[in-house]
Amino acid sequence: MQHTLYGASLSPFARAARVAFEEKKVPYEFKEIGFSDLQQPDYARLHPYRKLPALEVGRQPVFETVAIMRYADEANDRTPSLQPGDGLERAHSVQWSSVASAYLYADIFTGFVFQRTIAPRFGMTVDETSVEAHVEKTRHHLDVIRQALAMGTLGKRLSLGDILVVAILDSLNSFPEGQQVLEAFDAVDAYTASIANRDSFIATQAEDRTS
């Protein structure tokens, strides 16, 4: 079966989907797309809400990141599952997938990372008020994650929830200010590094990140 994944390498959602395919060793082709591509009529067939990523399995579309990641996980049963078998652990994985999609993306990536890294690249005005507000929100999220790691409701073993969370947290490492905020939370920084150093994350890393 042919798998074609459409996305942008700088998008944490697209990266999370790619990581799932890499972890599960499911062959796929990644096609880089830009904002203008989302408005093309053909793209609406893949994702009627014109977001990314989108997956094409043969000629069948699959959209929404978690659905794509679950498909990748279940496409190969010869590798460890990214969906825990224990009911409570699986609930926590789903919980953190939801938190990443609903809260972390908006506050950490859109409100902070995007303003510092992507907006300047496209000649957009950086909203410093937004940055200031979202730095504080980012610290709050990192503290919540710190507590979850201490309780063992996150980070027990690699799951879809971990992949989504770290895809967003690792984007903080793409610029010095973000690194400083992340490094202030030792346990979260170590957790992020332990997963971001996996081959799957290294293979999907955007090329222009800060060293």
Side-chain angles (χ1 to χ4, degrees), residues 17-38:
R18 294 174 69 188
V19 167
F21 276 94
E22 296 282 345
E23 286 286 340
K24 297 297 294 188
K25 303 186 187 310
V26 176
Y28 72 104
E29 178 186 5
F30 180 66
K31 288 194 174 182
E32 185 86 25
I33 61 174
F35 295 123
S36 61
D37 296 306
L38 301 180

